[in-house]
């Protein structure tokens, strides 16, 4: 095969999916920082983002943007509910960390099943945000959806950075991440920060789900693979470092795409994980170093 | 008595009470091992519903040889280990006399040895086990894997200028089988396969594979595999601005609506006759499908009839085997299956013999597309 013009194309695709992994990875970090919990229901947020938007679009005839915003709001609310109903009671009873992690996994399964019952098992999708043929840049097709994904992700990351740096709540959340007891002693309502963390990461997950759905399909069971990729992204970035997670996501997306080229899709994840494992041997604390 | 033994005792007592009146009016017990949950859920639920619909139809006309058909369904969760458990349960405690089981091929393979020892035959939705002694007791309603591929190649040869194609398949045994058929027969249709790429069912992006095919000169993608990935492939083709046709394998019609919206006239799918009922010419095939589709539509509306119609065929073939063999005995039913010739089913004509246990021997499939929301047969 003499024609390797598809390699830049592959990198572009990897970048797009990488942004999505990154957003999901950030979600993991935000909750982890506030509580020390790894929230395995993160995938459910991603799935619900796509499914709810599709439902609002189809059933209630809302235009795309309001439907997406409403979906993000609902999922964020659900994040808070999850925190109140599942995590908080365990937290208050001083349950061990792995009990809470397991509880989030259970919540993931419940949400998935409920979605199956309500939404059915058929795959659905969203229309492209801008339904135009892709832009051709010297033989590489750049679709408008890709621009939406990259643009929105960067915006979200920037907004998040501003939030953590400039607002009181953001600063308080960072304080919790550094040391929860000390933060509590300073009068920071740690449990409210926990709820806020769930809301933020649920919203990020939903946003990731909405951005990616126009390029693929969504169904009740798409959440878990995304959650796994997001989790890997978070680890690569240095668990607990939101921006590291974003970089980790980009890296994972690129490595996966190249792995499909080199080894085929069957070994995509194996190859990607091997590379990342090697990377972690060299730099055990992740791209940006461990949070704590 | 521990709590657990108490429960066990209660269940035992309960089941013997339930079993007692069976002697009063004997039934013919048909077992279904189906993946009601797990990856095969959509297909196997439909298969089960088709079998049950056929049972109702047969019972309404008085049953088979004076006995009503009783269908026993167990969920194998689309897992082979689980399938062995449910087969054993249906054999020993339910007394299933024949199996008309779903599409989880690995599960049917795993249990095949069990059925050979019990001398109980099975009529399957899935491909057949390979071992000769197991094959002896297994029959299938599934058309040979090559038919789906050949129908697509035929279309490309007859109706398009495309001579280079890419094959995109998932890692299931059935998809691999189709892939190897494609490799073998493409040349016969004057078509060159320039790229073979795999994907996994939960992959979020297939544009890498599609880019590779395009740069290898493929003008069409033959996609082999079930599920939402067809939608992902369609979306990716459009995103890449690739001028390629997408020809997918047999699938639930519900998936195709959104795909057609994305790709329009560049999208084609292999369909079984019951899926394109309105476009079928009058004849014995259409008449048979009418018998099935009437009650199916009454009960399930617009739900896809493809797998259910094969489930219907599976039970109808079984009833025919019992009637021609004049026996409910497993061995007799097995022998009678082999004697069924020219049986008009909803999926095509079945011709079994001692050598041929996959009854459909003539390609029943059509190639279809969706124009303005309506299905149109093109080949």
């Amino acid at each position: 095969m003499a024609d390797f013009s598809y390699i830049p194309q592959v990198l572009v695709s990897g970048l797009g999916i990488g942004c999505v992994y990154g957003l999901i990875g950030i979600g993991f970090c935000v909750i982890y920082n506030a509580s020390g919990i790894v929230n395995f229901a993160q995938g459910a947020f991603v799935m619900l983002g796509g499914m709810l938007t599709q439902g609002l679009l189809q059933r209630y005839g809302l235009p795309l943007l309001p439907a997406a915003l409403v979906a993000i709001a609902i999922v964020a609310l659900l994040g808070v509910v999850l925190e109140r109903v599942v995590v908080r009671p365990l937290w208050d009873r001083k349950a061990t960390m792995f009990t809470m992690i397991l509880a989030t996994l259970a919540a993931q399964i419940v949400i998935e099943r409920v979605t199956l019952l309500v939404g059915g098992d058929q795959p659905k999708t969203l229309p492209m945000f801008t339904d135009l043929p892709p832009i051709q840049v010297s033989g590489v097709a750049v679709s408008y959806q890709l621009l939406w994904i990259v643009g929105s992700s960067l915006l979200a990351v920037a907004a998040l950075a501003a939030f953590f740096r400039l607002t009181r709540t953001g600063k308080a959340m960072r304080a919790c991440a550094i040391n929860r007891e000390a933060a509590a002693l300073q009068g920071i309502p740690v449990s409210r920060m926990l709820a806020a963390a769930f809301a933020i990461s649920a919203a990020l997950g939903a946003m990731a789900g909405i951005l990616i759905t126009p390029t693929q399909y969504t169904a009740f069971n798409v959440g878990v693979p995304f959650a796994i990729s997001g989790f890997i992204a978070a680890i690569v970035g240095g668990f607990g470092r939101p921006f590291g997670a974003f970089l980790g996501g980009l890296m994972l997306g690129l490595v996966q795409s190249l792995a499909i080229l080199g080894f085929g899709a069957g070994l995509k994840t194996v190859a990607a994980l091997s590379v990342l494992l090697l990377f972690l041997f060299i730099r055990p604390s992740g791209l940006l170093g461990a949070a704590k | 008595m521990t709590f657990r033994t108490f429960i066990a005792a209660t269940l035992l007592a309960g089941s013997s009470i339930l079993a007692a009146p069976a002697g009063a009016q004997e039934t013919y017990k048909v077992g279904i091992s189906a993946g009601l949950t797990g990856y095969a859920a959509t297909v196997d639920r439909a298969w089960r519903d088709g079998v049950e619909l056929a049972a109702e139809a047969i019972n309404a006309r008085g049953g088979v040889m004076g006995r009503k058909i009783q269908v026993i369904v167990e969920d194998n969760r689309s897992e082979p280990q689980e399938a062995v458990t449910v087969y054993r349960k249906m054999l020993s405690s339910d007394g299933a006399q024949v199996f008309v089981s779903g599409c989880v091929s690995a599960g049917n393979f795993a249990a095949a040895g069990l059925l050979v020892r019990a001398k109980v035959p099975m009529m399957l939705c899935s491909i057949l086990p390979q071992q000769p002694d197991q094959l002896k007791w297994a029959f299938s309603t599934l058309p040979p894997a090559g038919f789906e591929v050949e129908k697509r190649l035929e279309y490309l040869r007859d109706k398009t200028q495309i001579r280079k194609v890419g094959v995109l398949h998932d890692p299931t045994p059935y998809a691999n089988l189709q892939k190897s058929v494609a490799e073998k027969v493409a040349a016969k249709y004057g078509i060159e396969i320039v790229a073979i790429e795999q994907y996994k069912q939960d992959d979020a992006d297939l544009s890498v594979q599609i880019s590779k095919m395009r740069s290898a000169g493929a003008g069409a993608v033959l996609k082999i595999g079930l599920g939402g990935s067809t939608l992902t492939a369609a979306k990716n083709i459009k995103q890449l601005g690739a001028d390629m046709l997408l020809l997918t394998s047999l699938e639930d019609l519900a998936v195709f609506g959104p795909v057609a919206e994305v790709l329009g006239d560049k999208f084609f799918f292999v369909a079984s006759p019951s899926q394109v009922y309105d476009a079928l010419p009058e004849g014995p095939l259409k008449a048979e499908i009418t018998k099935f589709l009437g009650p199916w539509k009454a009960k399930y509306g617009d739900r896809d009839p493809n797998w259910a119609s094969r489930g219907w065929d599976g039970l109808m073939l079984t009833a025919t085997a019992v009637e021609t063999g004049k026996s409910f005995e497993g061995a007799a039913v097995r022998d009678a299956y082999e004697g069924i010739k020219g049986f008009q089913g909803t999926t095509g004509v079945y011709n079994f013999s001692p050598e041929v246990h996959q009854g459909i021997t003539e390609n029943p499939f059509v190639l279809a597309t969706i124009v303005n929301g309506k299905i149109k047969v093109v080949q």
Side-chain angles (χ1 to χ4, degrees), chain A residues 3 6 9-10 13 17 121-123 125-126 128 131 134 141 143 214-217 225-226 260-261 265-266 268-269, chain B residues 42 198-205 207-209 211-212 215 228-229 231-232 235-236 238-241 252 254-255:
Chain A
D3 180 11
Y6 57 89
Q9 182 73 62
V10 165
S13 307
I17 192 89
D121 59 358
Q122 288 306 332
T125 188
L126 291 174
M128 308 262 184
D131 199 0
S143 74
T215 75
Q216 56 142 278
Y217 75 99
F226 276 121
I260 296 179
L261 267 192
K268 168 187 89 173
T269 318
Chain B
T42 313
Q198 211 188 69
Y199 69 93
K200 297 217 317 260
Q201 288 93 328
D202 55 10
D203 280 353
D205 185 51
S207 45
V208 176
Q209 288 94 324
S211 309
K212 222 170 147 181
S215 70
S229 52
L231 200 42
T232 306
K235 291 267 184 176
N236 291 163
K238 187 167 179 192
Q239 269 183 307
L240 291 170
D252 197 300
V255 177

Side-chain angles (χ1 to χ4, degrees), chain A residues 32-118:
Chain A
Y32 177 77
N33 281 347
S35 64
I37 296 174
V38 178
N39 169 36
F40 275 108
Q42 198 64 29
F45 299 149
V46 180
M47 177 272 292
L48 279 177
M51 289 294 276
L52 282 174
T53 310
Q54 201 274 342
L56 291 166
L57 217 58
Q58 198 102 1
R59 229 173 260 184
Y60 300 100
L62 255 61
L64 190 60
L65 186 66
L69 292 177
V70 171
I72 292 176
I74 295 174
V75 177
L77 196 70
L78 187 82
V80 176
V81 171
L82 186 71
E83 193 271 336
R84 281 287 137 124
V85 176
V86 179
V87 177
R88 181 76 62 93
L90 292 169
W91 182 274
D92 288 345
R93 282 192 228 159
K94 311 240 177 303
T96 49
M97 208 47 88
F98 66 81
T99 313
M100 285 189 268
I101 293 174
L102 206 63
T104 63
L105 191 61
Q108 148 83 34
I109 295 168
V110 169
I111 296 173
E112 201 177 283
R113 292 290 123 178
V114 169
T115 313
L116 170 63
L117 291 176
V118 176

Side-chain angles (χ1 to χ4, degrees), chain B residues 310-361:
Chain B
R310 277 210 286 123
W312 168 282
D313 285 357
L315 193 67
M316 289 299 175
L317 285 164
T318 305
T320 307
V322 169
E323 275 160 2
T324 53
K326 299 200 174 41
S327 169
F328 295 102
E329 283 304 311
V333 173
R334 194 211 76 83
D335 293 346
Y337 273 142
E338 285 184 347
I340 294 178
K341 296 269 183 297
F343 178 94
Q344 180 65 61
T346 59
T347 311
V349 177
Y350 292 86
N351 287 303
F352 290 95
S353 74
E355 291 77 36
V356 179
H357 280 200
Q358 203 164 357
I360 292 193
T361 49

